[in-house]
Amino acid sequence: MKNIIQLNEVDVYFKEYKVLSDLTFNIEEGDYIGIIGPNGSGKTTLVRSILGLGGEVRGEIVVGDRRNIAYLPQLTGSKSKFFPAKVREIVATGLLKNKSFPKFMTRRDHEKVDEVLKELQMYDKRDSLIGELSGGQKQRVLLARAIVSEPKILILDEPTSALDPKLRDKLYKLISELNRNKGLTVLFISHDVGTIEKYVDKVMYLDKKLVFYGTPLEFERSEEIKKYTGSLKH
Ligand code: ADP
């Protein structure tokens, strides 16, 4: 498989504070990766560095065209900045961001919005106001907005606040389907180790450095991880 993201001996600093040390790894096209680790371990900093939004990066990050990456910062329940927009209008803004002036929607763009809403089972809600939707539905609208431009890579940052477990499971499943059906490469920061493991191809465990990167099965069997998380897991 082709590498889609490569990090070579990457350190990330905020002023003199080194948040991430010596990261070297490749992400292959089509991978679904769960990024886990304690609070403050640098998960968000890592994905923001990949997006070019992080702290000061030393070393090499190869990602190609960053316009191919869609980023969903923490999927919180409300997005009041969109109020009182309609679902289809919000999804359409996902297409406008990559357009140069003049920004207008073509007929094909409207079709794309409809297609993605159908795919995420939100088509019947296309004329609803975002404020009228449930938390899970809002989440799907923001996901639709992120993927309508057909990115190659999707990065999600799960909120730390505990979500409804059923909703969380549904989101993981939905992302799995997008990964499989569209070959979308996914990086998913998760706070729920037990659940995300069931869906991803690879687990990345960060604690200011790369502690583990491998399959969920290898993760379960890893002596290194047992040493690391022993007191937390058992
Ligand atoms: P995680 O996502 O694993 O919880 P973060 O990447 O958010 O961890 O944070 C890692 C560390 O970097 C924390 O100690 C945090 O305080 C620090 N940090 C994050 N963003 C900034 C910033 N913009 N300026 C200074 N320090 C930051």
Side-chain angles (χ1 to χ4, degrees):
M1 273 303 226
K2 211 173 111 199
N3 289 332
I4 196 161
I5 298 175
Q6 289 174 272
L7 271 75
N8 276 319
E9 295 174 13
V10 169
D11 297 332
V12 183
Y13 288 82
F14 287 109
K15 301 230 169 78
E16 296 81 48
Y17 177 51
K18 200 195 235 184
V19 179
L20 289 167
S21 290
D22 199 25
L23 299 182
T24 297
F25 61 82
N26 296 329
I27 291 175
E28 292 179 349
E29 213 168 55
D31 265 350
Y32 183 178
I33 295 173
I35 303 175
I36 56 176
N39 275 339
S41 59
K43 303 182 292 298
T44 301
T45 302
L46 169 64
V47 299
R48 289 182 61 85
S49 301
I50 290 171
L51 288 156
L53 307 169
E56 187 199 329
V57 174
R58 297 187 196 161
E60 187 187 29
I61 301 182
V62 185
V63 290
D65 188 347
R66 287 198 166 103
R67 279 176 303 183
N68 287 328
I69 312 180
Y71 178 42
L72 259 83
Q74 310 225 330
L75 292 163
T76 48
S78 65
K79 267 278 183 242
S80 53
K81 70 170 176 167
F82 292 119
F83 184 79
K86 287 182 179 173
V87 165
R88 59 181 163 75
E89 294 166 345
I90 292 167
V91 176
T93 61
L95 285 171
L96 295 177
K97 70 174 173 22
N98 284 345
K99 284 185 194 267
S100 50
F101 192 80
K103 289 179 184 274
F104 61 82
M105 294 278 289
T106 63
R107 208 170 84 180
R108 178 70 198 120
D109 290 338
H110 288 292
E111 283 168 8
K112 278 190 191 165
V113 170
D114 286 350
E115 280 164 21
V116 78
L117 284 171
K118 280 179 193 160
E119 197 169 7
L120 300 187
Q121 282 136 37
M122 289 298 292
Y123 186 67
D124 60 332
K125 297 277 184 215
R126 67 193 180 284
D127 288 315
S128 300
L129 295 174
I130 185 87
E132 295 167 350
L133 303 180
S134 70
Q137 290 171 332
K138 276 181 197 154
Q139 211 173 49
R140 269 183 284 161
V141 173
L142 296 181
L143 183 59
R145 177 172 172 265
I147 63 169
V148 68
S149 58
E150 295 172 64
K152 290 203 169 81
I153 303 170
L154 174 65
I155 300 181
L156 302 102
D157 197 343
E158 186 179 76
T160 346
S161 57
L163 279 176
D164 168 351
K166 255 198 213 142
L167 214 62
R168 174 141 66 183
D169 220 55
K170 222 167 153 181
L171 181 66
Y172 291 164
K173 241 179 242 163
L174 194 59
I175 302 292
S176 269
E177 280 164 24
L178 293 173
N179 165 254
R180 262 201 314 269
N181 301 342
K182 290 179 179 278
L184 191 65
T185 306
V186 181
L187 275 64
F188 199 139
I189 296 181
S190 169
H191 303 280
D192 184 358
V193 182
T195 314
I196 192 105
E197 264 184 65
K198 289 187 228 144
Y199 295 96
V200 295
D201 302 316
K202 284 176 192 151
V203 174
M204 180 177 289
Y205 189 99
L206 285 182
D207 194 5
K208 310 243 158 111
K209 61 185 170 87
L210 187 63
V211 175
F212 177 87
Y213 182 36
T215 65
L217 192 66
E218 287 163 350
F219 180 74
E220 278 298 311
R221 293 178 177 171
S222 164
E223 289 302 320
E224 179 70 12
I225 284 295
K226 264 184 213 141
K227 268 188 270 168
Y228 234 87
T229 59
S231 56
L232 297 172
K233 282 185 95 176
H234 304 290

